């Protein structure tokens, strides 16, 4: 069976760039696990801009791919000020530099990518809520245009 639940997925962060933007380069890094994640990244991956060409004589719309960006998302965590991974994410939010992420699925698949942490917002909801934080992660690409590296378990 190749489908799986999100339960058991680990979200990890590193301040160190890989020596190469390859599976081996990322696997050599030491990552800190971001603890107490209660909601993961809904949708991450490459998304292309749509270019429409509309020649008057044919009236047909032709579609082309334009530029792309790596789409990100927001991790929600129960705020733990002693959690090393959360603290590194807070550091990343104050930095213009890329940080490096490893999303490890429960079956051992890894999704590695460079990203910027755009925000680290604390949440103080209602009387029956846990103090939380939302961490906005915006994946980017290396200078060579390499974005997410997907390493699937055999």
């Amino acid at each position: 069976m190749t489908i799986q639940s999100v339960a058991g997925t680990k979200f990890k962060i590193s301040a160190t760039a890989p020596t190469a933007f390859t599976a081996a380069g990322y696997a050599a890094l030491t990552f800190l696990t971001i603890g107490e994640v209660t909601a993961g990244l809904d949708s991450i991956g490459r998304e292309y801009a749509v270019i429409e060409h509309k020649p008057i004589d044919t009236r047909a719309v032709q579609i082309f791919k334009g530029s792309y960006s790596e789409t990100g998302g927001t991790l929600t965590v129960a705020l733990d000020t002693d959690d090393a991974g959360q603290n590194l994410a807070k550091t990343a939010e104050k930095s213009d530099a890329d940080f490096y992420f490893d999303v490890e699925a429960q079956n051992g698949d890894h999704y590695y990518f460079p990203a910027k942490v755009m925000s680290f917002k604390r949440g103080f909801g209602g009387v029956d809520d846990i103090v939380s934080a939302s961490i906005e992660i915006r994946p980017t690409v290396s200078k060579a245009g390499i974005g997410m590296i997907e390493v699937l378990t055999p």
Side-chain angles (χ1 to χ4, degrees):
M1 174 184 268
T2 58
I3 62 170
Q4 61 185 310
S5 77
V6 176
T9 298
K10 295 177 181 73
F11 299 89
K12 304 174 187 177
I13 184 172
S14 175
T16 305
T19 56
F21 288 90
T22 62
Y26 275 105
L29 295 180
T30 299
F31 288 93
L32 296 175
T33 298
I34 299 171
E36 302 297 335
V37 175
T38 57
L41 300 170
D42 285 340
S43 180
I44 57 173
R46 186 164 289 179
E47 183 174 10
Y48 289 86
V50 175
I51 299 173
E52 293 184 352
H53 174 58
K54 301 175 183 177
I56 295 171
D57 62 340
T58 65
R59 297 170 42 152
V61 177
Q62 298 173 7
I63 303 295
F64 296 90
K65 285 184 175 180
S67 61
Y68 66 85
S69 65
E70 302 289 338
T71 62
T74 301
L75 283 180
T76 303
V77 300
L79 184 62
D80 180 353
T81 58
D82 293 328
D83 184 85
Q86 288 187 27
N87 288 333
L88 186 54
K90 281 191 271 189
T91 298
E93 184 250 345
K94 293 174 179 52
S95 173
D96 289 338
D98 286 345
F99 281 66
Y100 303 89
F101 290 82
D102 172 12
V103 177
E104 182 182 352
Q106 69 168 227
N107 70 345
D109 291 348
H110 290 265
Y111 301 88
Y112 299 111
F113 54 91
K116 292 193 172 24
V117 174
M118 303 306 289
S119 66
F120 191 106
K121 299 177 187 174
R122 288 87 176 154
F124 300 89
V127 68
D128 293 326
D129 293 332
I130 299 293
V131 176
S132 65
S134 59
I135 306 167
E136 183 185 354
I137 298 170
R138 292 294 306 265
T140 186
V141 296
S142 70
K143 289 181 181 176
I146 300 169
M148 183 181 294
I149 303 290
E150 183 178 58
V151 180
L152 305 178
T153 56

